């Protein structure tokens, strides 16, 4: 159950992931806390303007305020912040970094950022990524996948479009080919910097079918705002069909024999010489 009155009023994208509700609850609490602080400190500010106005204090007072109330209030804020951090933020973070999904149901893929698009490299049913190499990168093979590698036989590579089955966990290994990007799906409540030279995994479980926006959340160049992708969360049958169709379109047939040159056509027999 989510309590998301304030953050919904402020226009947060609707949550579509399993862990998102916990994050939303925390965000909602923080917003209420900030609202109380804003009203509290705002009122205090106007109170001091009134209280210390020169018409009421014609002579400067060198002692100043003697009340200890502000110190006590500050102490209260500190205690609340520690409670928020230790009771809510830390357990959420522990779940994100310690409770990795395992098993054959986990969809594994790489999200490879480049100026200005996202490439997706699915590991396939074997759960093992095919080898990639920089010297294999071409405009038609943006992640440099080596199709001759045995693990690459069931790999699917797409540009800008990511599919996932609903209610199945996925692990996305985030990386970059050029500058720092940030792989962010607001509806899934995930975001991770894509840093060249690093492979940083994140995981989530989509719980609502639909089409969601993938964005880059790090200013990465002049077309940064155009660096978008689409996540389609669908039923498992639809996902499997999409995977099989895309594999057929992008990968060569598994046991394609190397093309053998056609035998040279025999020269037509010369017509018999007529006497
Ligand atoms: Cu970017």
């Amino acid at each position: 159950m989510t309590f998301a009155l304030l953050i919904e009023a402020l226009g947060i994208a609707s949550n579509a992931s399993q862990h998102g509700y916990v994050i939303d609850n925390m965000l909602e609490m923080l917003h209420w806390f900030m609202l109380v602080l804003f009203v509290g400190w705002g009122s205090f500010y106007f109170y001091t303007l009134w209280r210390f106005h020169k018409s009421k204090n014609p002579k400067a007072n060198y002692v100043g305020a003697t009340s200890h109330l502000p110190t006590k209030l500050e102490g209260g804020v500190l205690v609340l912040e520690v409670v928020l951090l230790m009771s809510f933020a830390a357990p959420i973070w522990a779940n994100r970094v310690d409770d990795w999904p395992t098993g054959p149901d986990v969809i594994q893929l790489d999200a490879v950022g480049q100026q200005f698009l996202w490439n997706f490299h699915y590991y396939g049913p074997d759960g093992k990524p095919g080898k990639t190499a920089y010297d294999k990168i071409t405009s038609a093979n943006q992640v440099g996948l080596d199709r001759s590698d045995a693990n690459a036989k069931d790999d699917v590579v797409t540009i800008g479009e990511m599919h996932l089955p609903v209610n199945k966990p996925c692990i996305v290994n985030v990386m970059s080919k050029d500058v720092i990007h940030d792989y962010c799906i607001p509806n899934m409540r995930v975001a991770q910097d894509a840093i060249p030279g690093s492979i940083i995994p994140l995981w989530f479980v989509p719980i609502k079918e639909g089409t969601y926006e993938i964005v880059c959340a790090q200013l990465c160049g002049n077309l940064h705002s155009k660096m978008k992708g689409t996540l389609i969360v669908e039923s498992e049958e639809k996902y499997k069909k999409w995977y099989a169709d895309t594999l057929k379109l992008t990968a060569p047939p598994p046991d394609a024999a190397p093309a053998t040159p056609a035998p040279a056509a025999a020269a037509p027999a010369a017509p018999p010489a007529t006497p």
Side-chain angles (χ1 to χ4, degrees), residues 113-118 178-183 194 215-221 223-225 227:
Q114 74 180 72
Q115 289 173 319
F116 295 94
L117 52 89
W118 289 106
D178 40 40
V179 301
I180 299 177
H181 300 277
D182 186 295
Y183 174 77
V215 294
C216 176
Q218 277 285 10
L219 190 56
C220 59
L223 289 177
H224 156 71
S225 62
M227 188 168 163

Side-chain angles (χ1 to χ4, degrees), residues 9-63:
L10 290 170
I12 196 170
S14 66
N15 171 52
S17 75
Q18 199 182 57
H19 74 282
Y21 292 108
V22 203
I23 290 186
D24 284 7
N25 283 339
M26 167 109 191
L27 276 179
E28 180 72 16
M29 258 188 302
L30 281 175
H31 277 78
W32 280 105
F33 184 41
M34 289 303 126
L35 186 66
V36 169
L37 283 185
F38 174 73
V39 172
W41 289 128
S43 319
F44 179 69
Y45 171 69
F46 286 108
Y47 167 75
T48 53
L49 289 183
W50 168 80
R51 173 68 183 76
F52 300 107
H53 190 264
K54 71 174 180 189
S55 63
K56 299 179 86 185
N57 306 272
K59 245 184 116 188
N61 174 352
Y62 294 101
V63 179

Side-chain angles (χ1 to χ4, degrees), residues 185-242:
I185 315 175
N187 296 87
M188 298 296 155
R189 304 290 189 263
V190 291
Q192 172 59 55
D193 270 4
I195 299 170
S198 302
I199 301 171
I200 310 174
L202 65 83
W203 71 277
F204 63 94
V205 184
I207 54 167
K208 276 186 203 158
E209 288 182 31
T211 304
Y212 306 100
E213 198 173 50
I214 303 169
V215 294
C216 176
Q218 277 285 10
L219 190 56
C220 59
N222 55 359
L223 289 177
H224 156 71
S225 62
K226 298 264 181 279
M227 188 168 163
K228 288 184 182 179
T230 306
L231 164 64
I232 294 157
V233 178
E234 57 205 349
S235 66
E236 192 162 13
E237 300 75 59
K238 276 192 188 161
Y239 168 76
K240 281 193 170 149
K241 185 176 181 313
W242 168 80

Side-chain angles (χ1 to χ4, degrees), residues 162-181:
M162 186 179 156
H163 286 240
L164 286 176
V166 70
N167 293 324
K168 291 275 148 68
C170 73
I171 295 179
V172 184
N173 297 296
V174 180
M175 53 192 90
S176 169
K177 276 164 68 176
D178 40 40
V179 301
I180 299 177
H181 300 277

